[in-house]
Every structure is written in C-alpha cells, then in structure tokens.
Amino acid sequence: MLQVTINGQSHEFADGLTINQALKQLAVEVPTLCHDDRIQPYGSCRLCTVEVKGFNGLVTACNTQLRAGMEILTHSDTVNGVRKTLLGLIAKDYPAEAVAQFPDKQFHRYLREYDVKARGSRTAPQPAVPFMKDTTHPYINVDMTQCVTCYRCVRICEEVQGQFVWKAWNRGDQTRIGPVRGETLQDGGCVSCGACVDTCPSGALEDISILKRGVPTNWAKTICSYCGTGCEVNVGTRNGHITTIRPSMDGPSNHGHTCVKGRYAFDYITAKDRPLSPMIRRNGEWQKVSWTEVNQFIADKLREAAAKHGPDSIGVLSSARGTNEENYVAQKFARVVLGTNNIDCCARVCHSPTAAAMKMTLGTGAATNSLDDIALARTILVAGVN
Ligand code: SF4
Ligand code: SF4
Ligand code: FES
C-alpha cells in the first residue's frame, strides 16, 4: 500500500494507480478533457494538472503514477489558474450556441465550473483550413467546429473498436480531425459502433437521434436484447421515446462498448409494421387474437401433427436472443412435452465449429472464462483468424 497526502489528508492506495485513478477513488474530480477510462492516458490537454510537493512544475494526473509520500494539491490557486487559461484558449473560437444547447457536455461543464465563456459562433466563417462537417452518416452528425482536439475519437476507434477511422491531419492550430480517407465518416470505414460519439466531450460528434428528439430526460439501465452476449446498456428516453442507447461503463461483458445494433438499431420499437399482439391467419387474413386463444391454437396444431405424423414430424427452433434459461426450457419442451429430439438453436449455425473445438480442447463447448480473465492472461494464443 502507498501512503499519500491529498489536499492535506492522508490516504492509503494500492500500488499501480495513476494519480487520477487515486483521486477517483476519493471522488475528487479534476478536469480530464483528453481522458477516458476505456483508452490509454494521453496527456495532451493538461487540464488534469495537479501540484505535487517537491516536483518541478505541475504534473498531469491522468498519466502520472502515484508514488508513496506524494503530497498532492488538486485545486490550488496555481492549478485552477492554469486550467482557466487553458480552457480560455480552447474556448476562444468555440461556438457559444453549442454550450447553450447542450450544457451538460463534459467540456461545457468545465467551462461553467471555471467561469470561462465560449467566444466563437456557429455562424462564423470557416477558417482557411476548414472544419469537417458531415451529415451523410445514418446515425452520427459530425460538426468539427466544436472539436476541442482531444483525440479521444481517434484513440477509441483504434483501441476499443479496432477500426482506425479517424486521423489528426496537419499540425498546430491547423490540426483537424477527419476520416483517414475520403470525405465522410463512412468513407473512412466507420462501422457505427458509436464509441467516438460516447467519448466526444464537446458534441462535435453527436447522435442524430439526440439532435432530432432532444437530450434524454430519463435513463434506464438494462440488457441489450439483440444477442446472448448480455451487454449492459443505458436507455435514454424523452417524452416516452428512446432518444439514444449508450453502453454501460461497468457492464461486465461489454465494459462501455456496444455493436451497431445495440447502439443504434432501436427504431423497430416504434415501427408501424411491428405486431403488438398475437395474430392468427384465417382465410388468408391476419386477425388479432388474445394470448389464451393463440396458445390454445398452437397446442391444438402440435397435438394434431403429432397424432397424425408422429412427434418427429415436429421440430423446435430456439433463439440466441433468448436467455440460457429460455433455451433450456425450449429443449425440455421439445423432448419431454412433444417427445422429439428435433430441437436446434440458431447459435449452433454460427458457433458449431467453435463449440466443437472448445469441447475437444477445454471439455465444454462454451466459454470457460470471463472477458476480464482475457485481459489478465499472460499469454494469448489466437487461432483461425487473420
Ligand atoms: S462510430 Fe465506431 S467505427 Fe465509427 S468512427 Fe466512431 S468509433 Fe470508429
Ligand atoms: S471530435 Fe470530439 S472526441 Fe474527436 S478530437 Fe474532437 S472533441 Fe475530441
Ligand atoms: S486529461 Fe490529463 S492531460 Fe488531458
């Protein structure tokens, strides 16, 4: 354990933390504009600077290791003054309308906390090296006039999604974030995971659904229903409609990330052709019926088929979108109630090679470890991929 003094109070911390990780354990917040726990510390914005007694100059909390005996000041006049100056430089040409429209964005919150005004405007003419604007993506709006050049989008796309869509072009005050090739996000190879939107602290990258429907007024934590991975998500709603779905940072199987389906494919909920009650087709017409009636109808048809052609004339297909328990019940129903072994699941089509190989090597055709165990492994052998 390390003994460290923070803002005059002595604390003990485990070895191996950065200063910022230690501060988080105490719920002491310093502004971290270029940092996101899902990606490696970068140390470019310098807003997280703190004073450490005996050190020459200020140190950045996000990428400095905590050491025994450190005496740290997080909000001295010196560091607050540096933060205010740095924020003022970033806010010099930053559109004030963006701050008013989305006051809760991370960067906008920092401006408020350090009493710094954004002095730019959305109607200002584009500079000689223009900022990217892209309205062609189906889910993401890009307006780089709001970019604070934190590189979080570039890094999260590389480190978390492995997609390398973004690139920092040019240098100095002409630095511009844009797609690695072409003009649009889709030209750059975006697969719409939404990670860059989640991490963007300013709203330069934003969900189109939020721009259209407004910021959520309610959040509900739930599990994505698309597949069996069990990604934890936060569903944001406004006026009874979903405006966005964001990955939960502490989801054990997704750790703050989702695929395109879990992140953006939620409009089916209000699709006009979505059946909202059970239906039976009679004389070529679909008729709405009660659950009691439809269950009786199915039971009668199954009995009729089994009596006429035997139980093996029936097959049951279950789904990877069901839980393990639901799939277990489906096979019990097939074997015990219907009397057939004709039971299958769509997961077998995708995963039969992996399941067979894992059964041979590990003894069971399923994962034998959690995702966290993979991060802790000293050696990883990857087979069958390029
Ligand atoms: S949405 Fe995902 S894939 Fe697309 S640019 Fe952002 S991080 Fe990369
Ligand atoms: S687009 Fe957003 S995340 Fe990317 S560098 Fe600009 S401010 Fe940062
Ligand atoms: S958050 Fe530490 S330098 Fe940006």
Side-chain angles (χ1 to χ4, degrees):
M1 298 296 275
L2 305 178
Q3 200 77 33
V4 176
T5 303
I6 295 177
N7 296 333
Q9 299 267 320
S10 181
H11 300 276
E12 275 200 340
F13 295 98
D15 222 347
L17 299 178
T18 61
I19 293 178
N20 187 44
Q21 286 168 333
L23 294 179
K24 277 193 168 178
Q25 288 187 4
L26 302 178
V28 174
E29 197 196 353
V30 293
T32 49
L33 194 63
C34 70
H35 185 67
D36 181 316
D37 286 340
R38 292 167 291 180
I39 49 182
Q40 293 298 312
Y42 197 58
S44 68
C45 75
R46 305 201 71 77
L47 284 171
C48 66
T49 47
V50 292
E51 269 190 85
V52 182
K53 196 173 169 191
F55 275 55
N56 261 343
L58 303 174
V59 300
T60 42
C62 65
N63 60 355
T64 303
Q65 285 299 119
L66 195 69
R67 285 190 231 146
M70 274 182 163
E71 291 181 36
I72 299 167
L73 290 176
T74 60
H75 290 82
S76 65
D77 288 348
T78 309
V79 287
N80 283 343
V82 168
R83 286 175 194 152
K84 197 170 163 73
T85 304
L86 290 171
L87 284 167
L89 289 171
I90 304 170
K92 185 169 62 70
D93 299 315
Y94 191 83
E97 301 93 325
V99 182
Q101 187 182 8
F102 295 113
D104 293 332
K105 289 279 176 196
Q106 191 182 2
F107 176 56
H108 304 170
R109 196 161 49 79
Y110 293 158
L111 293 181
R112 203 163 54 244
E113 283 168 13
Y114 286 84
D115 194 22
V116 175
K117 296 268 175 293
R119 286 179 284 140
S121 166
R122 278 184 177 147
T123 54
Q126 282 267 29
V129 181
F131 293 102
M132 173 191 181
K133 292 191 180 192
D134 179 12
T135 55
T136 63
H137 194 283
Y139 309 116
I140 299 169
N141 185 73
V142 182
D143 180 358
M144 290 296 182
T145 60
Q146 281 174 237
C147 177
V148 295
T149 332
C150 66
Y151 305 101
R152 279 161 66 162
C153 54
V154 181
R155 292 178 290 136
I156 206 162
C157 189
E158 287 180 18
E159 293 178 31
V160 175
Q161 182 58 28
Q163 203 61 25
F164 304 89
V165 171
W166 293 109
K167 178 178 168 176
W169 296 90
N170 311 321
R171 303 186 65 183
D173 65 0
Q174 296 200 332
T175 302
R176 300 288 183 267
I177 307 295
V180 71
R181 60 182 166 274
E183 303 292 319
T184 68
L185 197 45
Q186 286 183 299
D187 290 343
C190 174
V191 295
S192 307
C193 70
C196 55
V197 180
D198 299 338
T199 197
C200 181
S202 70
L205 306 173
E206 188 56 278
D207 286 349
I208 290 172
S209 56
I210 286 203
L211 295 177
K212 279 189 179 155
R213 298 173 194 167
V215 289
T217 49
N218 290 299
W219 288 95
K221 189 180 259 199
T222 184
I223 303 289
C224 175
S225 60
Y226 266 108
C227 75
T229 303
C231 294
E232 217 172 77
V233 291
N234 293 306
V235 179
T237 55
R238 186 184 180 99
N239 300 326
H241 290 284
I242 294 179
T243 63
T244 189
I245 293 182
R246 301 286 168 124
S248 168
M249 293 302 148
D250 51 3
S253 61
N254 59 317
H255 291 296
H257 196 47
T258 60
C259 72
V260 55
K261 289 181 288 182
R263 180 72 167 79
Y264 289 116
F266 51 80
D267 273 350
Y268 70 89
I269 291 164
T270 49
K272 287 196 172 57
D273 56 352
R274 180 183 174 194
L276 295 174
S277 66
M279 291 194 278
I280 295 175
R281 190 164 56 186
R282 291 190 174 112
N283 304 322
E285 293 286 322
W286 286 105
Q287 294 173 356
K288 284 185 183 175
V289 293
S290 68
W291 282 106
T292 312
E293 186 178 350
V294 81
N295 284 339
Q296 190 59 55
F297 181 84
I298 293 167
D300 291 346
K301 288 288 176 192
L302 289 174
R303 269 197 210 98
E304 194 182 307
K308 214 164 165 183
H309 307 290
D312 281 341
S313 64
I314 302 169
V316 176
L317 285 174
S318 66
S319 168
R321 289 182 68 168
T323 61
N324 284 345
E325 291 77 9
E326 285 161 347
N327 280 300
Y328 176 82
V329 168
Q331 64 83 29
K332 272 286 178 204
F333 176 75
R335 294 195 168 105
V336 178
V337 179
L338 298 175
T340 178
N341 286 326
N342 292 338
I343 165 76
D344 208 345
C345 174
C346 63
R348 189 190 56 77
V349 180
C350 311
H351 295 296
S352 53
T354 36
M358 289 173 89
K359 182 146 177 60
M360 277 166 63
T361 47
L362 302 171
T364 179
T368 53
N369 53 269
S370 68
L371 286 176
D372 288 344
D373 287 340
I374 296 173
L376 295 172
R378 277 184 298 175
T379 308
I380 297 177
L381 175 66
V382 182
V385 295
N386 57 25

